[in-house]
Amino acid sequence: MIVVKHSFRHRPVINSRILLKALRENYVLVLFSLSLIIGMIFGAVFARNADFNALNKLDFLFYSNYKARAVQPIISIFSASFASSFLFILACFLCGLSVWGMFIIPAVLFFRGFGLGLTSGYLYAAYGFMGVLFNLVVILPGAFVCCLAILLAAREGTRFSRMIASCSVVSQRGTISPPKMKPYLLNFGVILMVAFLAAVIDVIFSGCFAGMFSF
């Protein structure tokens, strides 16, 4: 009879190596995610001194008017949600066309995180547990996919900005073909589809759950 002994000693080491490798390969997304999270923290802290009028003034950027989600028609919810995502994706797209865009894109992510943190922090400060619950079931599902789309746009914009910068450096020494726009446009087209999905999710969760809350 042959007995085979399985050793599990090296599994944590292997898993840690895989994790470190994944972090190294996606360090740009990790850094951008940190910019987004730091922005959320600052927004949540700022929410202590904010009021609903401040949220309403920033609604066109962050779609932060949570009271309107229960009364607006579906097309208005979708349009506001998609427009908010589109503005930040457009900012990343335009930054990608500049040599200096790679340095501006983290600020775009910080600002998006600030808006999400501001809304979340205000809901908690003003309504306590009900505000947190509303945030979880109505706002965050669509916001999560929206932030994912913006992170992808930031990575793509940074990559293209670096390509332009490298071409500028090399062109002083010799000739080099500029980066092609078609793949860049196609990639952002896919990112807009993700933002479209985020708006659809926003509509679904707002339609299903927003009416259950009264603020």
Side-chain angles (χ1 to χ4, degrees):
M1 181 177 182
I2 300 175
V3 179
V4 180
K5 295 182 178 180
H6 297 277
S7 176
F8 299 95
R9 293 180 181 179
H10 300 293
R11 287 192 176 182
V13 177
I14 294 174
N15 292 336
S16 63
R17 288 178 180 176
I18 294 174
L19 178 61
L20 290 175
K21 182 180 178 181
L23 291 175
R24 284 196 298 266
E25 292 177 351
N26 300 279
Y27 72 95
V28 174
L29 278 179
V30 173
L31 293 177
F32 286 160
S33 299
L34 288 176
S35 297
L36 191 67
I37 293 172
I38 292 172
M40 291 176 61
I41 294 173
F42 273 83
V45 172
F46 183 81
R48 295 179 179 179
N49 300 320
D51 55 11
F52 181 75
N53 291 329
L55 293 179
N56 201 28
K57 291 177 181 178
L58 297 173
D59 185 53
F60 72 101
L61 284 175
F62 306 123
Y63 188 37
S64 52
N65 189 351
Y66 57 90
K67 293 182 179 180
R69 291 174 181 259
V71 296
Q72 283 183 335
I74 292 177
I75 187 64
S76 297
I77 297 174
F78 177 85
S79 300
S81 178
F82 184 75
S84 175
S85 303
F86 178 80
L87 288 175
F88 289 95
I89 293 173
L90 178 62
C92 293
F93 176 84
L94 296 177
C95 287
L97 301 178
S98 170
V99 175
W100 304 104
M102 68 182 84
F103 302 107
I104 303 174
I105 286 176
V108 175
L109 291 167
F110 176 88
F111 193 55
R112 180 64 186 95
F114 180 86
L116 183 58
L118 179 64
T119 305
S120 302
Y122 178 79
L123 282 169
Y124 171 73
Y127 305 107
F129 174 75
M130 293 302 295
V132 173
L133 187 60
F134 180 88
N135 193 39
L136 288 175
V137 302
V138 178
I139 295 178
L140 288 185
F144 175 79
V145 182
C146 169
C147 289
L148 178 62
I150 297 173
L151 283 171
L152 294 175
R155 183 181 66 176
E156 189 64 25
T158 300
R159 184 189 66 83
F160 203 76
S161 178
R162 285 179 175 177
M163 291 174 63
I164 294 176
S166 63
C167 289
S168 301
V169 173
V170 177
S171 62
Q172 296 177 1
R173 304 174 184 175
T175 59
I176 187 173
S177 58
K180 296 181 179 180
M181 281 292 297
K182 185 176 180 180
Y184 188 62
L185 295 174
L186 290 176
N187 289 336
F188 267 90
V190 174
I191 292 169
L192 285 176
M193 292 177 62
V194 178
F196 183 92
L197 175 62
V200 171
I201 293 174
D202 228 348
V203 169
I204 293 173
F205 279 82
S206 295
C208 292
F209 301 110
M212 301 170 60
F213 296 86
S214 179
F215 295 128

